Amino acid sequence: MSSKTVLSALAITAALASTATAGNITAANPQSLMDFFTSEGAPAKLVEDNVGDPKIELKHYDTNFAVYFYGCDNGKSCDAVQFFSGYGTEGEVAIAKINSWNTDRRFGRAYLTDEGNARVEYDIYTGADGVSSEDFSEMFEIWVDLMGKFEDHIEWE
């Protein structure tokens, strides 16, 4: 087989692989998340966090939250995202309440900052190939449900 034929075969294989994952949502392609949020009707803004990695700020069901990107190489080729929501509870939520949340939940984790503000997070590893839109939609539903239940749990208004 000639080197030209091998190169052509490799190019076709690469194109097929890229087409197979083109619809996937991946941390390596922040625009894939932006497109998803747009389709969900969640106004989103892509910005850069304080270490130069992508960050998405958005509002959904009257709650502001952020999506942080992790496993990045100089702000690129990220492999995971973290949904994050913080609440200015200023010490009004007891650590026992946060601990009971973490004990009773499979997805997400909560904590209090040194200032006594409540936080909830949910990590998703997308890897190099990403996850299907359908699976990401399910994960997003878990996150939205998690936020609502956390707000109820901490009795935050």
Side-chain angles (χ1 to χ4, degrees):
M1 191 178 302
S2 74
S3 62
K4 195 175 200 180
T5 304
V6 170
L7 288 175
S8 293
L10 288 173
I12 291 169
T13 302
L16 289 173
S18 127
T19 301
T21 60
N24 284 355
I25 294 173
T26 176
N29 179 8
Q31 188 60 48
S32 66
L33 279 85
M34 291 294 293
D35 293 344
F36 172 82
F37 293 130
T38 298
S39 74
E40 290 292 309
K45 183 169 123 179
L46 181 60
V47 297
E48 193 174 279
D49 71 10
N50 61 354
V51 297
D53 292 335
K55 173 184 167 187
I56 297 175
E57 298 171 342
L58 62 152
K59 184 173 189 170
H60 195 57
Y61 293 115
D62 295 324
T63 299
N64 294 316
F65 64 95
V67 179
Y68 289 92
F69 289 71
Y70 286 93
C72 307
D73 183 15
N74 293 318
K76 306 276 186 224
S77 304
C78 309
D79 65 9
V81 295
Q82 178 188 83
F83 291 101
F84 169 88
S85 189
Y87 304 89
T89 54
E90 296 148 8
E92 295 178 18
V93 176
I95 191 67
K97 192 158 222 152
I98 298 296
N99 288 342
S100 72
W101 170 267
N102 288 326
T103 300
D104 295 338
R105 300 292 183 280
R106 178 176 176 196
F107 296 105
R109 69 183 162 280
Y111 60 94
L112 294 175
T113 65
D114 290 341
E115 295 79 25
N117 295 315
R119 305 287 190 249
V120 64
E121 302 170 343
Y122 175 44
D123 293 310
I124 299 170
Y125 178 76
T126 66
D129 294 333
V131 296
S132 71
S133 297
E134 294 81 13
D135 286 345
F136 194 83
S137 181
E138 290 289 327
M139 290 181 237
F140 186 60
E141 284 181 33
I142 289 169
W143 168 248
V144 170
D145 184 58
L146 192 73
M147 274 194 309
K149 287 180 178 172
F150 184 71
E151 290 170 7
D152 290 344
H153 182 77
I154 63 173
E155 299 172 5
W156 183 80
E157 304 265 336

